[in-house]
Amino acid sequence: MKPLDTLGRPLQALRISVTDRCNFRCGYCMPRDAFGPDHPFLAREALLSFEEITRLARIFTGLGVAKVRLTGGEPLLRRELPVLVKMLAEVPGLEDLALTTNGVLLPELAADLRAAGLRRLTVSLDTLRPDRFQTLSDTDLSLSRVLAGLDAARAAGFTTLKLNCVLQRGVNEDEILDLAGFAREQGHTLRFIEFMDVGTTNGWRLASVVPATEIHQLLNARWPLEPLPSPAGSVASEWRYRDGRGEVGLIASVTAPFCRGCDRARLSADGHLYTCLFASEGLDLKGFLRSGHGDADLAALLAAQWKRRDDRYSELRRADTPGLPKIEMSHIGG
Ligand code: SAM
Ligand code: SF4
Ligand code: SF4
């Protein structure tokens, strides 16, 4: 039973947020004035347990999900994360298990994550300038720790990493070539992501978005590019450097939305299911789980929810949408 939603889209990918906490306060995601010391983060008992997450992953896999990405908040803050990775790596039918992190805790955790069965890692990197890093991530932790994290990941066996860079006009757009040059040298695949209007606290304005076409022009002028075929469900347009020095991705979520191919569900750390990054409401799976329902009931609930899905926020985005109620990125998992 593999459900299709109202636009004929299958359910193939699941993002699982394992915590709503983070050791950074990136302005585009968890600005400090909205996520200060009094912010009501989830209590431990409100989080899904590893057993609950794995059970749900197994049920989702039965409905067609083959790809799972762990995210957050900062997923490496979740205690014993490698234990969860090991449990998920053993779920039959789950072909692709990945994780997105800000990288700061990789020196401590990369080897354990690898040993637990993680094969794909994405590290967020918006700047190579230490002072700018401090401003953008609004933390006392330093850029050198993230760079040490990249080295630790390589030493642990993650030879090719994905690097995510969110560009903001007038903030870090002047580093496009430096970041691309760094990724080329290191053998990593950089993906530039357009700044999105996720949540309601990040002060998003269309004028702050650096369009993917502009990034492409700049890169192509320096290192000529050729397109790669996009795999089904891919959100990035992927390009190869003609000189053979690797690949680069452009995620044009704002200027060229890809809702028609969106096959992702999202599970928040407190067990709510969201069928769009810009959703305002989730389905309380944790309540359902904890009230003793069996796997068949859960599968039927998930399938019914997916069949109802008509989300295509990015296609419908208008100048007035930033004011609508939306869930925050750190809750839903980026
Ligand atoms: N803490 C981890 C990290 O930063 O990689 C994982 C969670 S984070 C929410 C996942 C991804 O979402 C990161 O690559 C981050 O840069 C991206 N992100 C957060 N807010 C965003 C926004 N407003 N627009 C575009 N990307 C955003
Ligand atoms: Fe934390 Fe990642 Fe959000 Fe930055 S983007 S505040 S590192 S969750
Ligand atoms: Fe998918 Fe929603 Fe993003 Fe469209 S706006 S691509 S439906 S998550």
Side-chain angles (χ1 to χ4, degrees):
M1 183 182 49
K2 302 207 167 150
L4 297 178
D5 72 7
T6 61
L7 299 174
R9 297 169 296 188
L11 168 58
Q12 299 186 125
L14 177 66
R15 297 209 157 200
I16 302 177
S17 173
V18 293
T19 177
D20 61 338
R21 290 166 199 261
C22 190
N23 39 12
F24 286 14
R25 285 292 179 273
C26 308
Y28 54 61
C29 179
M30 295 179 73
R32 196 172 287 282
D33 49 3
F35 293 86
D38 299 333
H39 183 77
F41 287 105
L42 293 170
R44 200 173 161 72
E45 58 281 6
L47 299 177
L48 287 181
S49 69
F50 289 175
E51 288 70 24
E52 288 170 330
I53 291 174
T54 309
R55 181 173 169 211
L56 283 172
R58 194 170 281 121
I59 295 169
F60 271 105
T61 308
L63 297 175
V65 166
K67 292 158 66 169
V68 164
R69 179 172 292 274
L70 298 176
T71 178
E74 173 45 43
L76 302 193
L77 288 178
R78 179 78 189 247
R79 242 180 280 165
E80 308 287 346
L81 188 70
V83 173
L84 175 64
V85 167
K86 184 158 192 309
M87 290 164 74
L88 290 173
E90 287 166 1
V91 170
L94 209 171
E95 293 160 13
D96 184 13
L97 179 60
L99 177 129
T100 305
T101 171
N102 64 27
V104 153
L105 293 174
L106 280 176
E108 289 87 339
L109 283 164
D112 287 352
L113 290 168
R114 184 84 189 172
L118 189 70
R119 289 292 169 267
R120 296 209 303 121
L121 196 54
T122 300
V123 182
S124 299
L125 185 69
D126 295 338
T127 176
L128 290 167
R129 300 187 191 171
D131 50 342
R132 184 175 283 174
F133 175 85
Q134 237 59 60
T135 312
L136 290 181
S137 56
D138 192 6
T139 163
D140 293 337
L141 299 160
S142 69
L143 175 64
S144 60
R145 287 194 53 175
V146 177
L147 300 178
L150 299 182
D151 292 343
R154 189 196 304 280
F158 296 99
T159 43
T160 299
L161 298 173
K162 278 194 178 148
L163 301 179
N164 273 359
C165 171
V166 177
L167 285 175
Q168 294 176 77
R169 178 77 76 202
V171 174
N172 59 344
E173 63 180 309
D174 54 347
E175 285 191 75
I176 294 174
L177 292 176
D178 288 352
L179 283 158
F182 173 80
R184 281 164 52 89
E185 270 164 33
Q186 298 284 317
H188 301 318
T189 300
L190 180 62
R191 299 172 345 142
F192 288 106
I193 305 176
E194 288 179 351
F195 176 31
M196 290 186 282
D197 48 335
V198 195
T200 51
T201 57
N202 70 5
W204 183 87
R205 290 176 307 128
L206 190 54
S208 303
V209 177
V210 183
T213 47
E214 190 178 318
I215 305 166
H216 178 270
Q217 269 171 16
L218 196 70
L219 291 172
N220 190 46
R222 175 71 173 274
W223 298 293
L225 292 168
E226 60 191 18
L228 285 167
S230 286
S234 166
V235 297
S237 71
E238 288 166 14
W239 302 82
R240 200 181 75 86
Y241 293 108
R242 284 181 192 266
D243 64 8
R245 294 292 295 276
E247 296 168 13
V248 63
L250 302 173
I251 305 186
S253 354
V254 177
T255 60
F258 33 78
C259 297
R260 292 296 151 151
C262 182
D263 58 4
R264 273 182 201 173
R266 294 179 151 86
L267 185 60
S268 66
D270 63 350
H272 283 67
L273 176 73
Y274 295 88
T275 53
C276 178
L277 182 54
F278 298 92
S280 54
E281 268 176 45
L283 175 70
D284 180 11
L285 291 183
K286 186 180 65 185
F288 203 73
L289 267 179
R290 294 188 181 172
S291 56
H293 289 276
D295 287 2
D297 285 356
L298 270 160
L301 178 74
L302 293 176
Q305 187 71 2
W306 190 261
K307 283 186 192 157
R308 262 197 296 277
R309 175 184 192 241
D310 61 0
D311 303 296
R312 52 191 186 100
Y313 176 90
S314 288
E315 281 186 6
L316 303 173
R317 178 187 281 113
R318 303 184 312 267
D320 57 347
T321 47
L324 297 176
K326 284 174 286 169
I327 215 77
E328 296 296 327
M329 181 85 133
S330 54
H331 178 75
I332 199 171

